[in-house]
Every structure is written in C-alpha cells, then in structure tokens.
Amino acid sequence: MSGTNDVAGTRAPVLPGSTIGILGSGQLGRMIAIAARRMGYRVHTLSPESDSPTGHVADREIVAAYDDVEAVKRFAEGVDVITLEFENISAACVDAASPIAPVRPKGSVLHTTQNRLREKTFLAEHGLPVAPFRHVKWREELAAATEEIGTPAVLKTAGFGYDGKGQVKIESADDVVRAWTSMTGQEAVLEAFIDFKLELSVVAARGLTGDFAHYGAVQNKHSNHILDVTAAPADVSGAVNVTAVNLTRKVFEALDVVGVACVEYFLDRDGNLIINEIAPRVHNSGHFTFDACVTSQFEQQVRAVCDLPLGSTEQPRPAAMANLLGDLWVNGEPDWASALAIPEVKLHLYGKQEARPGRKMGHLTAMADTREQAVEKVVEARRSLDSSL
Ligand code: AMP
C-alpha cells in the first residue's frame, strides 16, 4: 500500500482499457486525454464547460459544477482513477470523489498549492527557498509589510491567482493605497521583487512508490505575465540545473505529489534559485515534451496516476515552444501553412471556438540543433502566421 494516496486496499495498477477521469476540461486535459487514448484508456472529463477542449477527445464530457457533489460522485463511480488539469478544485469536490476512486494528486497537494500564502509558508517551513514574504490582511498591515520587505515588492492575492492575475507591483510607499485597493479586500501576500536574470521551471513526475523523473530546467519568457516562449534545455550551468532538479524533487517529496507537477523558479543575479510557485499538474512550460521527448509530460501523467512505470524523459534535440494567444486572430485566421512549411515545426490547437485576446488557443513547438535555433525557428514560425506582418 502506498499509504495516503489511495482508497483503502485498492492499490493496483490502472491498466489500459480502464477509464481515467479528468477534473477540468481545458487544453491540459485535452493533451492528457490524447496521451491516454493513445495508450488504450477511456477518458471522462468533468467541468462546468461544454464543447470543451478535453471534451472533444474524451469518451464522455460531464458538464457540472465542481461543487455539485452528486455529479462528482456519479463521475467518480464511472472511472477507475481521477486526475486533474485544473488545481483550483474545492476540497468538497475531492472529498466527494476520493472515497469512490483514487484522486491523484491528492487533496492535500491541492489545498497547499491553491493558496499562495499556504504554499509559501509550506516551502519556507521545509527549508526551500522563497522570496521574503508577509501575510497582509488589511491596509495598515500592507504599509508595515512594505517597510519590512522594502521596495520594489509585489502584492498578490493569497488565493486563486494564475498568469499574473491578482498581482500588483509596489515601487514605493506611495503605491500602498492603490495596491491595496486593487486587492478588493482579499487577503494578500506581499513578497520581495526579485531582480531575476532568468525564469526557469522544472516539470517532473512522481509515482505512487516515490519514483521520480524530470525534464531538466527549461527557460521561460513571459509577456504580460503569460508564458510566451519556453526553451529547452535552459541556458544555465550544469550546477544550476542540478540544483533546480534537486529542489524540485524535494518539493515533490514534501508534498507527496503523485503525478506531474511543475516548480517555477527565478534565477537571481547572484545565481540563487528562488521558488516562485508550484503547479500541481502538467504545465505550459512542459508542452514541448509532446514533440521533443521520448515520453511527454501528458503520457507521464497517465503513467504516474495509473501506477505504471514512468517513461524515459530523454530529449534527443533542443526544442522551443511558443504560445498562440487569441490576439493572433485579429487579422483573421492565421496562416497555418506558412508555419507548417518550416521543417521541425509542430502545430497544436486546442479546439477553442472563440479567440479572445490573451486566451491560450494553441502552441507551436520547434526542434533544432541548438536551443537558440529552436527559439528563433518557433518565433519565426509564429510570426509567419500573421500574414499582415
Ligand atoms: P505568478 O502569477 O506569481 O507566477 O507571476 C507571474 C509573473 O510575474 C512571473 O512569472 C514573473 O515574471 C512576475 N513576478 C511574479 N512575482 C515576482 C517577484 N516576486 N519578483 C519578480 N517578478 C515577479
């Protein structure tokens, strides 16, 4: 028995032919579902959305609120194991499902990572490096915390933030009132602003028996707080790479993660790694693995949650990934043929009907002899999609 991850007495590999349940129905679930179906699994997805990216490739799409306990129980009864592609799933949902089918990763992983304050406190308590931070409950506390942490600093809502949503930079004490107002009364975390050299992430997987496999450190460039381009491997020394992987492993062990997760880092100007955040699921910075690695993060997720051996993470060639946001559609349908005419460029579209600005609609991956060439190629391929340029 693996202990806390499972319904008592049920540990056995979930073999192909069984049904995997995915909570959430976006592009991450879609790519997990593609990997699962390729391996002969059936897939059910539950989310409040219909005609969803995951639903398009799943055997069953169940449309229900995550807090609809009866619907979640019925969903759990129809599957052999449950995983997720969206971490902001309530405890009520996990509690309803987990006595019926194992939920991997388990609820406590979600509880810790759903809230920045809990996550940072957890990391600090485990001796893992985070930026200095303070819990801020009201405006007066923010003024005091800003004095302690110093400026610049970043104020973030404690809960439910992603892609830079719910955060504001404080340049000086004069910004305190404006910054607090933007939190609309929500609890917040103030953290030191890191003058980083690079942003890195490590995507990895952990199985039920603690086996661990990682894709090494990759390098991420954000635009408007949204991931723009990932280069793999990252342009860092072997020592930084090893440290990032070791820290990631410690995070996985401390949380007792089963499945794929991602740890995002800042590399500061002195070469120190600081953990920014943890995503307890497959991650945008691991999308390149679909094309560039022997086992993608999506297949790895299936293997890990089904208690099968983790696959090789070997990456034969450097790769880069560029996100395709809805903004790309302003001049009409992108010119797919131009991008696809470039050798070693791969297109992924998520089947979303409405191309809203900032919405992740798809991505491109490119492979090349070097990281720099891969980045150049994927950026060029993306540029070629806009025929007005
Ligand atoms: P987050 O939503 O916390 O992942 O933040 C999104 C992006 O904002 C990060 O990837 C960074 O580019 C930037 N950012 C967040 N926190 C900090 C910080 N403490 N110092 C510098 N940049 C930050």
Side-chain angles (χ1 to χ4, degrees):
M1 268 307 295
S2 66
T4 52
N5 277 300
D6 281 277
V7 184
T10 59
R11 176 153 178 222
V14 178
L15 295 173
S18 309
T19 304
I20 299 175
I22 302 176
L23 292 168
S25 65
Q27 65 267 19
L28 304 179
R30 178 186 181 92
M31 290 184 273
I32 296 168
I34 290 170
R37 293 197 66 158
R38 207 169 68 168
M39 292 171 74
Y41 287 94
R42 290 179 173 274
V43 177
H44 294 181
T45 176
L46 180 143
S47 86
E49 315 293 325
S50 58
D51 192 27
S52 65
T54 310
H56 293 169
V57 288
D59 295 83
R60 280 195 70 195
E61 179 184 60
I62 293 136
V63 181
Y66 297 117
D67 288 339
D68 181 342
V69 167
E70 291 312 311
V72 169
K73 283 185 183 165
R74 278 197 302 279
F75 167 74
E77 277 157 11
V79 303
D80 298 288
V81 63
I82 296 174
T83 190
L84 46 109
E85 62 109 55
F86 171 68
E87 64 268 40
N88 288 324
I89 288 175
S90 65
C93 176
V94 176
D95 290 348
S98 55
I100 304 169
V103 178
R104 299 172 182 157
K106 60 186 171 179
S108 66
V109 176
L110 305 183
H111 180 74
T112 304
T113 55
Q114 276 169 358
N115 178 284
R116 291 185 206 274
L117 179 67
R118 278 201 293 271
E119 182 174 289
K120 283 181 190 300
T121 305
F122 178 90
L123 290 168
E125 280 173 1
H126 284 82
L128 292 157
V130 285
F133 67 95
R134 293 286 182 280
H135 182 194
V136 179
K137 295 188 288 303
W138 48 80
R139 203 186 79 194
E140 291 70 20
E141 273 190 345
L142 178 58
T146 307
E147 207 147 289
E148 281 173 42
I149 297 276
T151 51
V154 187
L155 186 67
K156 302 179 176 181
T157 49
F160 280 65
Y162 64 96
D163 285 347
K165 292 187 174 69
Q167 63 172 271
V168 55
K169 193 169 174 189
I170 297 182
E171 300 283 0
S172 75
D174 298 343
D175 293 339
V176 164
V177 173
R178 178 186 53 86
W180 181 252
T181 308
S182 75
M183 294 290 112
T184 57
Q186 299 172 81
E187 275 190 72
V189 180
L190 182 73
E191 64 180 57
F193 181 82
I194 308 294
D195 178 23
F196 57 80
K197 192 170 149 218
L198 290 178
E199 287 190 86
L200 305 174
S201 58
V202 178
V203 173
R206 186 166 174 268
L208 277 160
T209 49
D211 42 330
F212 181 79
H214 66 84
Y215 295 91
V218 302
Q219 189 169 329
N220 300 317
K221 197 172 76 51
H222 293 82
S223 175
N224 297 324
H225 294 287
I226 300 174
L227 182 62
D228 185 39
V229 173
T230 296
D235 185 12
V236 293
S237 67
V240 168
N241 188 47
V242 167
T243 306
V245 168
N246 287 341
L247 288 170
T248 304
R249 189 176 189 141
K250 282 187 188 157
V251 170
F252 274 57
E253 282 169 4
L255 283 169
D256 194 17
V257 170
V258 171
V260 170
C262 175
V263 182
E264 294 182 60
Y265 297 91
F266 300 124
L267 179 66
D268 76 10
R269 309 244 165 225
D270 300 323
N272 302 308
L273 283 164
I274 296 142
I275 298 177
N276 176 28
E277 61 180 4
I278 305 164
R281 51 166 170 76
V282 293
H283 192 256
N284 197 169
S285 67
H287 286 4
F288 74 95
T289 62
F290 217 156
D291 303 302
C293 295
V294 173
T295 310
S296 72
Q297 63 167 346
F298 309 104
E299 179 177 337
Q300 206 75 291
Q301 174 80 352
V302 171
R303 288 173 178 241
V305 304
C306 291
D307 196 17
L308 291 170
L310 299 180
S312 161
T313 55
E314 190 187 337
Q315 183 188 340
R317 282 160 72 60
M321 185 279 326
N323 270 335
L324 305 178
L325 301 184
D327 313 57
L328 204 68
W329 273 251
V330 284
N331 296 317
E333 189 69 14
D335 181 3
W336 305 120
S338 294
L340 292 172
I342 304 172
E344 290 189 278
V345 167
K346 308 283 276 186
L347 172 66
H348 297 253
L349 287 173
Y350 308 146
K352 297 181 184 177
Q353 299 307 314
E354 200 193 332
R356 292 193 296 272
R359 189 177 197 203
K360 290 176 180 170
M361 302 295 289
H363 68 270
L364 295 170
T365 309
M367 275 74 65
D369 292 339
T370 66
R371 164 185 45 246
E372 291 72 20
Q373 286 167 6
V375 170
E376 213 171 285
K377 197 186 283 193
V378 86
V379 169
E380 174 51 31
R382 184 170 59 183
R383 199 177 300 120
S384 77
L385 292 175
D386 188 345
S387 44
S388 73
L389 292 178

